[in-house]
């Protein structure tokens, strides 16, 4: 019963996918490339968009204004600030940076009505890339992913197969970072791998 | 399957949404003052028309925002989407609002008491 | 049988360089690439392909399309077998193995055909009338009927093939790749719009493959098809889908397309799906679905060899196959003349052209005469002969009104009959879209009238009869659809079309026979369900006059073809029966049946897609799941979660393991994976006020660092969820919910915050999976925790029951709650999920000297039941109030309002005879009541008995040394001390009513 493949690499904390991913590798010409982005920081940032003090403070702490346009993500270096609701953003940052970012936000937002919640472990990120990445997403996602409609910098909170996800497109390949709740990650990983079968799948570390 | 235009996220399949029943049912302010029957009007009774219906939806697999919608229950045509806390602006929406028997109930009057309307 | 003796020497679009071998009912045949199974069978002179459903009459191939009612085929074998496939839609491939259906023991001699001789015992409505009484006999009858009837066989095992689904959006979806559809795609595609064109066949071009007498811009129609397809293929935003059926048209321009990917290949690479279901959201839809020719309803019109005239033309022109060597044509319109002329041109002898019209005229009629074809105007076929294939017909002169025949009958030898009763627009998709149909006298059929979705019908599905109209309508609809979706582009000019002009039809819905209807042969209306014109008359006489009643009474329009060739004939005959001579008026009174998806039968596998096996439902696991598996835990599903149920040691039963786990939790230290509980972060200056409104008890004065149990009600006063919520700081709470209620509670809180109390400053965020939770309990758990947690003072005074502290456990930053669901001293340790397994392993290691015992959900249930703690969803079912649970203590009397407050004062809620929670102790302490068992006051000799309640929870309690149960019983606590009965199959258990608490009644242990 127990899948013993892919235990956590030494020195790292476990992720929901460690025992699911299996061997790294696959054909170079695969249409689908999958990997897990281990333990990226994730903060839910709440505040009112018409509160100038909040926006100024958040912009100062993040280095970029939280996007006001739905279904978009602002990026600064490797950090992405994803719009998730009119008064809610998900800040995704390099592993280990979340605590510092949280305190920077807390001090910049002192005195405003806001909330910051560390949800770094609530979900994990599956990176889906490759020439067939869009076709794989389309198998389980009902929103229009055509490049005329959904391109680099755009994000969506929606259903992918039977999991709720947040994803954003970050290059023209196309490549997507898909945030999925930890307990749904094994399901979604297996689903994506299976959906990619007809295009060839490569797993990267 | 309906395609619902979330005021924030844009058009999405209805499976991303949660149906919240009839809109504009005001919660009584002093429910203790209402008879069981009058309270039941608020709690249980729904309009259920064949035709334009004002109803509440939440984009609960997306931005989790609630909004109001005018939908023709016979054709599923969506005629208007407008924010929580506001009244419909289209003619059909205003007609549906006015035609609702609820506008005359003790429960609604109780809910409006002290609002000056 | 000697080879392809009905194959024409030249013509056709089959690939003569690719001969294919196939098998039908065990016999070997040959055909060519490009054939369908039907055309290949006809090329071999085979017409007899099936037996009819009720009378088991021999039947032949009637059509060349998906409307085929007769030629139903079982394909393949084992778990790859498919029943009810239409031979007219099966692409021939090498090695194809096909079998006919609905016959036993073989096609040419069928025992069931005795039904045909006994037909007067099988009138319409026979099953209804005969087998509805006596009702209790139905099961016996059914067994017999099912064996006699039945269409094909379903595979018994798992489908070995792979099925895919995909979503796709487009600006313009065009259904149908005939001339109208191609024209629409061309016009829309040239604007740059995203276009999908779908056709169920293997070739785009539709009727132009059959109607070789048409020219477009002076060249053969097929030249235009080839040029158009080439242009479309070169457009990057145009998708052409062949072998793909538009199966359903749903709300808001959502359509399903079923693509057959490998069926025609025979064997296919494993990674390719067999079929793909496309879920399309189109901004505009153009329906160009074509039209289906109607059979004529004449006596014994069902013999093999009798087919639609347009189908005969298709077999001639596209497949180079003649249906016969002496073909009789029977028509009420000009179109069948094209078939006669095409056959004549290929040297096929036309035995006669029988025209129901008294004075047919026009170029086609003249051409037939010029070709020397014997035309019999004003005549009708009144009889047919031939056992397994038509061999002759008799014709007679029609009376002027067409209601009868006069004179003497004349016999004409023939081996095939091509019939044409006019064309029925294929309005299925339009009707499924919600559009309203209207009766058109022009085509004597229903045509699209009012659209309710963003859709346009064009071409013959819109009632257009000429090619030029089809092209013009298509081009116009294509450009308009593209423009409506925001694209700009010029109008594509309509080409010059050469086609034979056609004159009027004569609708004779029933072609009269020699004797009154039903007395000389059968006039079949619905070939698949063996419904005759006489059956329609009978239904009318018995009052089943609406088309929906007619359908259910006679089974007309049911089955795999859903009446594609029969519906109009049936309802027109019904219209005539009902009175006037104007079919329109009567038909509008009869109406039409509802068109439902799918348009043609579809594989269930395609609708399931990959949502099977592990993908049927996600399985959610916790961070400690790996450890539980290694420890040999048994699991149970709790919603989508897999939770450790119990941890049996070798040889232990469930009961033995649970007894051991419970004892350890009470006497030493137990550890439970409590990760799955819902967790919600609530922040903001109004957070306490918010909780005060959603919980029944008071929250404003809860001090930071303290926790409280809360009960949430629906507005109707019924218990919805429960859990402990802790105040982390002045403006921040950590709420817990039940495992199953997590998502619902989050939605519930958002709903109230956004819709009822938008003024409250509070933010709500799910953190369920941020935290992994290990819950430890038992007298030794504090000592254990102290070893791992140096920075929290665990002393009773410093860290009292119902509080929360932050610190480190095993070096991991943790939130520690001192709460208890077991009644024991207990701590719940929350750590970020990534550390869950490490925390658990550290606890197990440090706990070894205390004999730490992991316990599962079963022991947890026993532990809480011994204490009388409820579980929402077990003690409650959406109809239970706090008072029903004897938990009035948690309902504030002082708060002005909370969700559900007013409802608790309703008459029915305060009524004395509500079911309320009690304990039950069985007279036999070892007897464990089944959960859900009904409780009675007095057992009657047999049901019904007055049931006064039911068992909600029941276990063997090791702490009490006996069984315990909780139950909801009318009167509740007023019955304490009474003995009640629980009647079960074969025995009755008696139990005494007690308080719903069984252990540690003063509740001291948790404070230890
Ligand atoms: Zn939304």
């Amino acid at each position: 019963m127990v899948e013993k493949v892919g235990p956590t690499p030494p020195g790292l904390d476990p992720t929901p996918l460690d025992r699911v991913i299996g061997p790294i590798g696959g054909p170079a010409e695969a249409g689908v490339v999958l990997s897990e982005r281990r333990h990226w920081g994730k903060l839910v940032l709440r505040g009112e968009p018409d509160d100038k003090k909040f926006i100024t403070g958040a912009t100062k702490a993040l280095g970029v204004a939280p996007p006001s346009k739905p279904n978009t993500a602002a990026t600064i270096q490797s950090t992405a600030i994803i719009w998730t609701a009119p008064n809610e953003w998900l800040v995704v940052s390099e592993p280990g940076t979340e605590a510092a970012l949280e305190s920077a936000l807390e001090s910049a937002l002192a005195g405003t009505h806001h909330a910051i919640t560390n949800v770094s472990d609530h979900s994990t990120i599956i990176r889906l890339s490759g020439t067939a990445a869009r076709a794989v997403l389309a198998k389980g996602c009902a929103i229009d992913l055509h490049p005329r409609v959904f391109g680099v910098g755009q994000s969506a909170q929606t259903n992918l197969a039977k999991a709720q996800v947040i994803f954003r497109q970050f290059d023209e390949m196309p490549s997507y970072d898909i945030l999925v709740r930890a307990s749904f990650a094994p399901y979604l990983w297996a689903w994506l791998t299976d959906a990619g079968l007809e295009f060839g799948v490569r797993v990267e570390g | 399957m309906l395609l619902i235009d979330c005021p924030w996220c844009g058009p999405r399949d209805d499976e991303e949404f949660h149906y919240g029943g009839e809109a504009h049912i005001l919660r009584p302010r002093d429910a203790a003052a209402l008879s069981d029957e009058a309270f039941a009007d608020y709690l249980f009774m729904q309009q259920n028309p064949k035709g334009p219906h004002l109803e509440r939806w939440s984009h609960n697999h997306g931005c989790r925002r609630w909004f109001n919608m005018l939908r023709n229950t016979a054709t599923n045509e969506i005629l208007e989407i407008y924010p929580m806390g506001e009244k419909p602006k289209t003619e059909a929406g205003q007609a549906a609002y006015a035609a609702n028997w609820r506008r005359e109930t003790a429960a609604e009057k109780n809910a409006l008491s002290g609002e000056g309307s | 049988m000697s080879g392809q003796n009905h194959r024409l020497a030249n013509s056709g679009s089959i690939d003569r360089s690719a001969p294919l071998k196939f098998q039908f009912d065990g016999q070997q045949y040959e055909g060519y690439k490009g054939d369908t199974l039907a055309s290949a069978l006809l090329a071999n002179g085979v017409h007899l392909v099936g037996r009819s459903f009720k009378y088991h009459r021999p039947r032949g191939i009637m059509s060349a399309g998906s409307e085929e009612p007769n030629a139903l085929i079982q394909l393949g074998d084992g778990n790859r077998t498919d029943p009810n496939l239409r031979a007219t839609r099966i692409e021939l491939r090498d090695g194809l193995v096909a079998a006919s259906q609905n016959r036993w023991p073989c096609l040419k001699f069928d025992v069931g055909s005795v039904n045909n001789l006994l037909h007067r015992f099988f009138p319409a409505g026979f099953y209804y009338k005969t087998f509805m009484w006596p009702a209790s006999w139905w099961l016996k009858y059914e067994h017999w009927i099912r064996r006699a009837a039945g269409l094909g066989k379903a595979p018994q095992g798992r489908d070995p093939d792979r099925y895919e689904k995909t979503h796709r959006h487009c600006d313009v979806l065009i259904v149908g790749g005939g001339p109208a559809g191609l024209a629409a795609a061309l016009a829309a595609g040239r604007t740059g719009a995203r276009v999908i064109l779908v056709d169920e066949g293997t070739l785009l071009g539709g009727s132009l493959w059959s109607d070789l007498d048409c020219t477009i811009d002076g060249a053969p129609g097929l030249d235009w098809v080839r040029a158009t397809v080439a242009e479309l293929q070169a457009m990057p935003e145009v998708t052409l889908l062949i072998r793909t059926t538009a199966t359903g048209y749903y709300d808001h321009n959502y359509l399903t397309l079923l693509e057959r990917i490998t069926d025609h290949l025979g064997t296919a690479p494993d990674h390719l799906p067999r079929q793909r279901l496309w879920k399309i959201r189109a901004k505009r839809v153009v329906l160009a679905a074509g039209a289906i020719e109607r059979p004529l309803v004449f006596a014994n019109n069902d013999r093999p060899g009798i087919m639609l005239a347009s189908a005969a033309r298709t077999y001639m022109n596209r497949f180079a196959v003649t249906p016969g060597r002496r073909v009789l044509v029977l028509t009420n319109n000009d179109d069948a003349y094209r078939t006669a002329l095409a056959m004549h041109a290929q040297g096929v002898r036309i035995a006669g052209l029988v025209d129901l019209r008294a004075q047919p005229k026009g170029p086609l009629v003249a051409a037939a005469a010029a070709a020397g074809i014997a035309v019999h105007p004003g005549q009708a076929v009144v009889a047919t002969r031939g056992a397994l294939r038509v061999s002759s017909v008799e014709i007679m002169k029609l009376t002027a009104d067409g209601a009868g025949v006069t004179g003497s009958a004349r016999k004409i030898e023939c081996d095939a009959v091509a019939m044409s009763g006019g064309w029925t627009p294929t309005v299925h998709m339009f009707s499924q879209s919600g559009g309203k149909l209207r009766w058109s006298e022009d085509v004597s059929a229903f045509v699209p009238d009012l659209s309710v979705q963003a859709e346009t019908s064009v071409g013959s599905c819109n009632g257009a009869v000429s090619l030029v109209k089809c092209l013009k309508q298509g081009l116009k609809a294509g450009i308009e659809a593209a423009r409506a979706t925001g694209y700009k582009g010029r109008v594509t000019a309509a080409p010059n079309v050469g086609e034979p002009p056609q004159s009027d039809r004569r609708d004779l819905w029933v072609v009269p026979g020699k004797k009154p209807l039903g007395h000389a042969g059968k006039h079949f209306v619905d070939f698949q369900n063996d419904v005759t014109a006489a059956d329609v008359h009978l239904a009318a006489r018995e009052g089943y006059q609406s088309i929906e009643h007619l359908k259910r009474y006679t089974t007309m329009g049911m089955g795999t073809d859903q009446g594609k060739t029969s519906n109009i004939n049936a309802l027109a005959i019904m219209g005539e029966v009902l009175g006037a001579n104007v079919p329109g008026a009567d038909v509008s009174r009869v109406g039409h049946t509802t068109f439902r998806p799918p348009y043609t039968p579809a594989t269930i596998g395609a609708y399931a897609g990959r949502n099977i096996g592990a993908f049927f439902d996600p399985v959610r696991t916790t961070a400690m799941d790996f450890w539980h598996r290694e420890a040999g835990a048994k699991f149970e599903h709790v919603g989508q979660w897999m939770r450790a149920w119990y941890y049996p040691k070798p040889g232990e039963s469930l009961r033995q393991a649970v007894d051991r786990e419970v004892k350890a939790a009470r006497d030493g230290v137990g550890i439970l994976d409590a990760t799955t509980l819902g967790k919600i972060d609530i922040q903001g200056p109004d957070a306490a006020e918010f909780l005060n409104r959603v919980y029944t008890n008071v929250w404003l004065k809860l001090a930071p660092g303290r926790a409280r149990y809360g009960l949430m009600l629906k507005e109707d006063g019924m218990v919805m969820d429960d859990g402990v919520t802790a105040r982390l700081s002045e403006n921040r709470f950590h709420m817990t919910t039940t495992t199953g209620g997590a998502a619902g509670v989050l939605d519930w809180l958002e709903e109230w915050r956004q819709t009822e109390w938008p003024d409250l400053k509070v933010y709500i965020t799910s953190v369920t999976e941020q935290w992994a939770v290990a819950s430890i309990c038992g007298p030794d758990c504090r000592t254990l925790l102290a070893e791992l947690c140096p920075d929290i003072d665990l002393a009773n005074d410093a860290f009292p029951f119902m509080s929360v502290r932050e610190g480190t456990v095993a070096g991991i930053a943790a939130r520690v709650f001192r709460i208890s669901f077991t009644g024991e001293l207990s701590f719940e340790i929350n750590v970020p999920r990534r550390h869950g397994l490490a925390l658990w392993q550290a606890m197990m290691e440090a706990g070894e000297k205390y004999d730490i015992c992991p316990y599962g959900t079963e022991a947890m249930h026993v532990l809480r039941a011994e204490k009388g703690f409820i579980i929402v969803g077990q003690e409650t079912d959406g109809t239970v109030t706090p008072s029903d649970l004897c938990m009035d203590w948690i309902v504030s009397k002082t708060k002005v309002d909370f969700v559900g407050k007013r409802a608790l004062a309703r008459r029915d809620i305060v009524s004395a005879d509500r079911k309320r929670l009690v304990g039950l102790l069985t007279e036999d302490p070892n007897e464990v009541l089944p959960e859900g068992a009904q409780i009675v006051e007095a057992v009657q000799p047999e049901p019904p008995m007055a049931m006064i309640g039911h068992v909600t929870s029941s276990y063997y309690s090791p702490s009490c040394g006996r069984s315990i149960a909780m139950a909801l019983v009318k009167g509740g606590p007023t019955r304490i001390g009474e003995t009640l009965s629980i009647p079960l199959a074969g025995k009755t258990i008696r139990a005494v009513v007690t308080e719903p608490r069984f252990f540690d009644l003063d509740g001291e242990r948790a404070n230890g």
Side-chain angles (χ1 to χ4, degrees), chain A residues 136-180:
Chain A
V136 164
L137 270 193
K139 290 187 184 189
C141 174
I143 71 173
D144 192 354
L145 298 167
H146 190 279
R148 286 181 186 173
V149 179
F150 196 100
V152 174
Q154 264 168 305
S155 65
Q157 280 181 106
T158 184
N159 297 331
L160 178 55
K162 296 187 177 187
Q164 274 178 253
V165 295
I166 302 171
F167 61 79
R168 69 181 181 97
Q169 186 182 335
F170 65 86
D171 71 21
E172 299 283 356
M173 174 57 107
S175 301
Y176 305 91
D177 271 351
I178 305 167
L179 287 114
V180 58

Side-chain angles (χ1 to χ4, degrees), chain A residues 83, chain B residues 6 8-10 17 59 62-65:
Chain A
W83 181 99
Chain B
C6 169
W8 299 100
C9 307
F17 295 84
H59 187 197
C63 64
R64 302 199 310 284
R65 294 309 99 178

Side-chain angles (χ1 to χ4, degrees), chain C residues 949-988:
Chain C
H950 65 276
V951 178
T952 60
S953 292
S954 175
Y955 311 94
Y956 183 81
S957 160
S959 312
C960 304
R962 59 154 301 133
S963 70
I964 58 171
M966 293 197 273
L968 286 164
V969 176
K970 270 189 186 171
T974 63
R975 291 185 183 268
I976 286 176
E978 282 182 31
T979 298
L980 299 174
S981 295
I982 297 93
L984 302 171
K987 65 175 174 181
T988 293

